[in-house]
Every structure is written in structure tokens, then in C-alpha cells.
């Protein structure tokens, strides 16, 4: 596709429910990243995939957060037993290749609200 | 000390003026630096990236990097009201290029 596509754009869930957020990266992009952005803050790194391999998950805040990219394209971020502090915008980004010189391109994000 | 520091602003400039946005960072090993523009409710949009000391120009935008002093800046010439947004400074700390570390962003307001 032309850009990084995320769905849903908005998600409202009750505390304790599980949610799944989807990211479809730019076609052919090897690297995929998930970030969490709280209101008034910059995005914070959650996890990184190179193809289907999850190479860095150091930013995941708890074991309730789980991400996968089974075929090296679409990725899903799952949050189990959601808490109010999980309310944020979840951004997905992709880059053409691995490496620090590769710019990351962001999707429009999923705004998650936990009631 | 936070890894990437930005003045949150707002920075207010009149239309046609030069807007100067600054960012300092703590890790001397940082490899590459990025400026993103984010309109309210929208995703970050890549504006510029710079890897080497000095200036890099692209249209009305100039990125400046000084690794010895650990700062990176973004100049916007002939500022337009449409430039009003939050500008995020980000960097990669290692060659593997995994996580981008972001500052909180500087809000720019350009008045007509």
C-alpha cells in the first residue's frame, strides 16, 4: 500500500477486556515498530520486528502486551486484561531495511480508550 | 536527564519569519537524527533526517547537527500558518537502528 495502515482508528474497551490492534506496513518494508504515545508526549518504543522475527521487545510495559508478525508483513499488537493506564495512541512504523540510517514511516495510529 | 530534550513551547513566530527548533541529547554514541512534524490527532510525518555534522537543506527546512555539543536543530524559513504543529526530535542510539528515542516535542504556532 501507499502508507502504513492501522486499524481500528479508535477502540474503546472496558477495563479487563482484551484488545487487538492491527498494522499493515508499507509493502516490502522489512522492519516494523510499535510505539505508544501518551497525550502531550513523544512516542515511546514498544517492540521491533525484522521480517517475522521479534528482535527487541524491551519497551513492552508488561507481560499483558504481546506482538506478532507471523508472515513478516501484517503485525498485531495484543493487550490482555486492559487497564486504564493502557489508554494511549498506539503507532506502528515501518522502514525499508534494518539499520540506524533508515527513516521510519508512521501510520495514523489507533487511539485506545479504556473505560 | 532525559535522553532527548526539547523545549515544549509554544514557540510563536509571525508568518514569513524563521522558526528555530532545538533539541539536545545525552548519548554521545547516537548515530542518526530525525525531525518529525505532528499535527494534532495525526501521525508523525518525517520532515528531515541527518547523520553527519553540519547542515542539511531541503526546501524551506534546514537541519543542523553538532555532535560535539550534542544538539540538533531544525530551521524553517518563510514560516507559514500551515507549519503550525508539534515538531518531534528523534534519534537512533546504535547502528542496529531499532528504537527511535523521541523528545516530547515543541509546539510551533505561526500567526498570519
Amino acid at each position: 500500500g501507499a502508507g502504513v495502515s492501522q486499524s481500528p482508528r479508535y477502540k474503546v474497551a472496558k477495563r479487563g477486556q482484551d484488545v487487538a490492534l492491527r498494522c499493515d506496513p508499507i509493502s516490502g518494508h522489512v522492519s516494523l515498530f510499535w510505539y505508544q504515545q501518551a497525550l502531550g508526549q513523544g512516542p515511546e518504543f514498544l517492540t521491533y520486528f525484522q521480517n517475522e522475527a521479534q528482535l527487541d521487545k524491551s519497551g513492552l510495559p508488561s507481560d499483558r502486551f504481546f506482538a506478532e508478525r507471523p508472515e513478516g508483513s501484517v503485525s498485531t499488537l495484543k493487550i490482555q486484561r486492559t487497564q486504564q493506564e493502557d489508554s494511549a495512541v498506539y503507532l506502528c512504523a515501518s522502514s525499508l531495511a534494518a539499520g540506524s540510517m533508515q527513516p521510519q514511516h508512521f501510520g495514523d495510529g489507533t487511539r485506545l480508550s479504556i473505560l | 536527564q532525559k535522553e532527548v530534550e526539547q523545549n515544549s513551547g509554544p514557540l510563536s513566530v509571525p508568518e514569513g519569519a524563521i522558526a528555530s527548533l532545538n533539541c539536545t541529547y545525552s548519548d554521545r554514541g547516537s548515530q542518526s537524527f530525525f525531525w518529525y512534524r505532528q499535527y494534532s490527532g495525526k501521525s508523525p510525518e518525517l520532515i528531515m533526517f541527518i547523520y553527519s555534522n553540519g547542515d542539511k537543506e531541503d526546501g524551506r527546512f534546514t537541519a543542523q547537527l553538532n555532535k560535539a555539543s550534542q544538539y540538533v536543530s531544525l530551521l524553517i524559513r518563510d514560516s507559514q500558518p500551515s507549519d503550525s504543529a508539534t515538531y518531534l526530535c528523534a534519534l537512533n542510539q546504535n547502528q542496529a537502528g531499532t528504537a527511535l528515542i523521541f523528545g516530547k516535542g515543541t509546539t510551533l504556532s505561526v500567526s498570519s
Side-chain angles (χ1 to χ4, degrees), chain A residues 46-65:
Chain A
L46 295 176
T47 188
Y48 160 62
F49 290 86
Q50 185 174 322
N51 295 307
E52 68 278 4
Q54 188 175 21
L55 298 186
D56 187 348
K57 54 182 181 179
S58 62
L60 295 177
S62 77
D63 59 7
R64 297 186 295 105
F65 287 71

Side-chain angles (χ1 to χ4, degrees), chain A residues 11-32:
Chain A
K11 176 70 178 177
V12 179
K14 292 183 179 179
R15 187 166 58 92
Q17 289 183 330
D18 298 348
V19 298
L21 313 179
R22 176 188 167 104
C23 173
D24 199 342
I26 296 172
S27 179
H29 277 202
V30 165
S31 298
L32 185 146

Side-chain angles (χ1 to χ4, degrees), chain A residues 9-10 33 35 37 40-45 48 55-56 91 98-109 111, chain B residues 2 31-32 34 36 38 41-46 49 51 88 92 94-105:
Chain A
R9 286 297 315 279
Y10 303 93
F33 307 81
Y35 292 84
Q37 187 173 24
Q41 304 292 318
E44 291 197 0
F45 171 76
Y48 160 62
L55 298 186
D56 187 348
L91 294 166
S100 63
M101 305 305 187
Q102 294 294 323
Q104 296 181 22
H105 301 274
F106 284 80
D108 283 340
R111 185 176 297 274
Chain B
K2 286 187 66 68
Q31 297 282 324
S32 50
F34 303 84
Y36 285 84
Q38 188 172 30
K42 298 295 186 181
S43 64
E45 174 192 6
L46 182 66
F49 54 91
Y51 312 133
L88 296 163
N92 259 320
N94 56 59
Q95 289 186 340
T98 54
L100 280 178
I101 310 299
F102 282 86
K104 284 189 176 183

Side-chain angles (χ1 to χ4, degrees), chain B residues 50-93:
Chain B
I50 187 166
Y51 312 133
S52 304
N53 277 325
D55 295 359
K56 179 181 178 182
E57 187 174 318
D58 183 1
R60 296 187 296 115
F61 300 96
T62 298
Q64 299 175 318
L65 174 61
N66 184 321
K67 289 188 176 181
S69 300
Q70 295 175 240
Y71 82 78
V72 57
S73 62
L74 179 70
L75 301 178
I76 306 175
R77 289 180 298 281
D78 188 24
S79 295
Q80 302 297 308
S82 58
D83 295 327
S84 299
T86 296
Y87 289 81
L88 296 163
C89 171
L91 57 84
N92 259 320
Q93 290 183 308

